Amino acid sequence: MLDQIKGLHHVTSMARDARRNNEFFTGKLGLRRVKKTVNFDAPDVYHLYYADEVGTPGSVMTYFPFPNIGKGRHGVGEVGTTVFAVPQGTLGYWEKRFADEGVKDVKRETRFGEERLAFSGPDGDSFALVETKDDPRKPWTEAGIPADDAIRGFHSASLRLRDGGATEELLKFMGYEDVDASGNVKRLAIKNGNGADVIDIETLPGAPFADLGAGSVHHIAFAVENRAKQIEVRKALMDTGYQVTPVIDRDYFWSIYFRTPGGVLFEVATNEPGFDRDEDTAHLGEALKLPKQHAHLRDYLEKHLQPLEG
């Protein structure tokens, strides 16, 4: 069993409209945009990162807003619900805020004894807030949400699968342990993680497979401290039979990717070097930052990418 993985690093999803996406996460949810860059493989598409003040691994929600992309269809073989942690006793604040802001599909739920508030993103993305006790992570507080109510980072993510058995075995190999089960949902968690420690496996044997589009999660990333730990994880996964990509430099972290038995794309990402490698912390997410291979496109991109504000 591996011990290098320390919880979630980030979740990356698809959107249709960059400005609407930016407004939802920075305005309605009160997260900080910590990076404005472009998709490595499609530089005419933004890659937007939302998180806490500095982009701490375990707090980072990222998006590829493809203009006019079709709507995704939810099903099996995908990340289902992405869940953020908020302090105990704050769901009332968020219910009122969501009502005032016109957030859709808001519903109170209880899962594994935890109070949570389900809601949808602008493209039908599946989200929830869950109340947690004594979460030491510091929130971003410059978006008008009181520190006592603000999002701390991720709590968990769920995987929707036709058969969860092989993916459960994989997660246990990655260091996750059984926590609880209820109905068709099995909960696993990692010990001594970064706070974003929980994965729920939701088994739906007869459900259709998901179709990727706006509102879909593209991949889910797990955190390791550094490149040395990442190489150890890569070797262990390959020795177990997984086809894992070479290490890829993503400017703010190094990444490896592999497809799980249930069809979900997993990434293992390093905590280093971080989002302040090319911007001062006070100004994260303000300027358009380009990977070096796309630097020659700056004039074109600055004219053609959709303005995020205004």
Side-chain angles (χ1 to χ4, degrees), residues 40-120:
F40 271 65
D41 301 315
D44 56 341
V45 174
Y46 279 120
H47 193 176
L48 302 175
Y49 293 78
Y50 310 102
D52 63 7
E53 180 179 7
V54 296
T56 306
S59 75
V60 186
M61 188 79 213
T62 98
Y63 270 86
F64 301 135
F66 281 86
N68 302 316
I69 189 175
K71 186 175 176 62
R73 185 185 72 182
H74 294 308
V76 294
E78 69 170 354
V79 175
T81 302
T82 303
V83 185
F84 297 95
V86 295
Q88 279 192 320
T90 63
L91 289 189
Y93 167 87
W94 285 99
E95 276 185 310
K96 182 179 185 306
R97 180 176 181 84
F98 286 170
D100 292 344
E101 295 283 351
V103 175
K104 296 180 179 179
D105 305 318
V106 180
K107 180 184 178 183
R108 282 252 192 174
E109 301 175 336
T110 302
R111 178 177 284 194
F112 296 111
E114 296 171 331
E115 292 297 315
R116 48 190 267 166
L117 191 66
F119 62 99
S120 294

Side-chain angles (χ1 to χ4, degrees), residues 146-214:
D148 290 343
D149 300 305
I151 289 171
R152 267 44 186 174
F154 292 130
H155 168 272
S156 60
S158 69
L159 309 178
R160 294 192 187 117
L161 307 172
R162 277 195 173 173
D163 182 349
T167 300
E168 181 183 346
E169 288 183 17
L170 167 63
L171 287 166
K172 288 179 177 177
F173 178 72
M174 292 168 62
Y176 284 79
E177 299 178 1
D178 285 322
V179 173
D180 205 347
S182 177
N184 66 330
V185 181
K186 184 169 282 191
R187 171 158 288 187
L188 296 90
I190 204 139
K191 286 185 176 180
N192 303 314
N194 59 15
D197 303 333
V198 176
I199 296 289
D200 289 340
I201 297 177
E202 186 176 1
T203 303
L204 300 165
F209 285 100
D211 285 334
L212 189 67

Side-chain angles (χ1 to χ4, degrees), residues 211-284:
D211 285 334
L212 189 67
S216 301
V217 173
H218 184 272
H219 63 269
I220 184 171
F222 297 84
V224 292
E225 183 179 353
N226 54 43
R227 296 181 72 185
K229 299 291 187 184
Q230 184 183 61
I231 291 296
E232 293 171 2
V233 171
R234 183 175 186 271
K235 182 179 185 303
L237 289 167
M238 292 181 72
D239 288 347
T240 310
Y242 284 95
Q243 295 183 333
V244 186
T245 68
V247 176
I248 301 171
D249 182 359
R250 295 303 194 194
D251 283 352
Y252 312 107
F253 44 86
W254 283 272
S255 301
I256 57 174
Y257 302 86
F258 63 103
R259 187 73 61 176
T260 67
V264 180
L265 183 60
F266 276 12
E267 174 183 352
V268 178
T270 61
N271 291 352
E272 59 181 12
F275 292 98
D276 61 354
R277 67 171 294 275
D278 60 359
E279 274 181 306
D280 184 86
T281 299
H283 298 286
L284 289 178

